[in-house]
Amino acid sequence: VKSSDVHLVLVGKVFSDKPGIPEYLSIMDAIHKSPKSALIHPLGYIPGHYLGSLYSLATLYCQPSWDEGFGFPLLEAMALGCPVVSSDRGSMREVGGSAAVYFDPGSTELPRTLDEVLSDPDKRKEMASAGIAQAKRFSWDKVADSTMGVYRSL
C-alpha cells in the first residue's frame, strides 16, 4: 500500500507453526524483501478471546481468502465496527453484504482496494456503521430457528 505508516498484522496458526509449505515460505520471503518489513507483524495464532481487541484497534480487516467456509471473521470484525475488505470468493459477499468492499484475489486489485479504503476515513466510518448493522442480521438464534424449520419440514 502507498501509506508509509500502515502496519500489517498477520494472524493465523500458520505463522505460529512456521511450516515448510510453499505458501508460508513465499509470504515470509516477501516480508523479508519488503522495504516496509518493519511494519509487517506475523503474530501467529491468537486465542479467540483476544481477537476482539485486534478488530477494535484495527483500521480495517482484510480477508484475502481463495476459498472460505461461512466467513465468521468478517462478522466478528463488522460486529465490532471494523471496516472489512474481503475477497469475493465463497460466502464472503453473502456474509459481508454491501457493508464490505470486495476484490478478486486472482487479480492485482488488492493494493488499490486497500489504498482506497485506507485513504478515506469517511468511507471507513460508513463501512463501520454498515458492518455493525450487517452483523446483526446473523445470530445463533436465527441459525437455530432455521435449522428447526428444516427439521420440521422433513
Side-chain angles (χ1 to χ4, degrees):
V1 297
K2 292 177 184 173
S3 176
S4 61
D5 62 347
V6 172
H7 289 256
L8 173 62
V9 177
L10 301 167
V11 175
K13 189 173 181 289
V14 69
F15 297 108
S16 299
D17 292 350
K18 300 180 173 138
I21 60 174
E23 294 86 352
Y24 171 80
L25 297 173
S26 178
I27 289 169
M28 296 311 291
D29 185 53
I31 290 171
H32 293 301
K33 290 179 179 175
S34 171
K36 296 181 181 182
S37 62
L39 300 174
I40 303 172
H41 313 281
L43 297 185
Y45 171 76
I46 303 294
H49 59 278
Y50 291 118
L51 289 175
S53 296
L54 286 176
Y55 292 131
S56 295
L57 294 170
T59 304
L60 66 81
Y61 172 75
C62 181
Q63 180 78 31
S65 294
W66 282 94
D67 187 33
E68 192 67 33
F70 177 74
F72 282 112
L74 267 64
L75 286 178
E76 292 170 342
M78 289 189 295
L80 293 169
C82 184
V84 170
V85 173
S86 176
S87 69
D88 60 0
R89 301 294 170 95
S91 63
M92 297 309 183
R93 282 193 183 272
E94 181 181 350
V95 172
S98 61
V101 172
Y102 302 95
F103 63 93
D104 175 357
S107 74
T108 58
E109 63 190 60
L110 177 57
R112 177 189 49 79
T113 304
L114 289 172
D115 281 330
E116 285 175 9
V117 176
L118 288 169
S119 67
D120 190 343
D122 292 331
K123 180 169 185 66
R124 288 196 312 274
K125 276 186 179 176
E126 290 172 18
M127 291 173 68
S129 294
I132 291 170
Q134 177 70 9
K136 287 180 181 176
R137 294 183 57 230
F138 297 87
S139 74
W140 285 113
D141 288 339
K142 289 179 182 177
V143 169
D145 290 343
S146 295
T147 303
M148 283 305 297
V150 170
Y151 289 152
R152 286 185 183 119
S153 71
L154 297 174

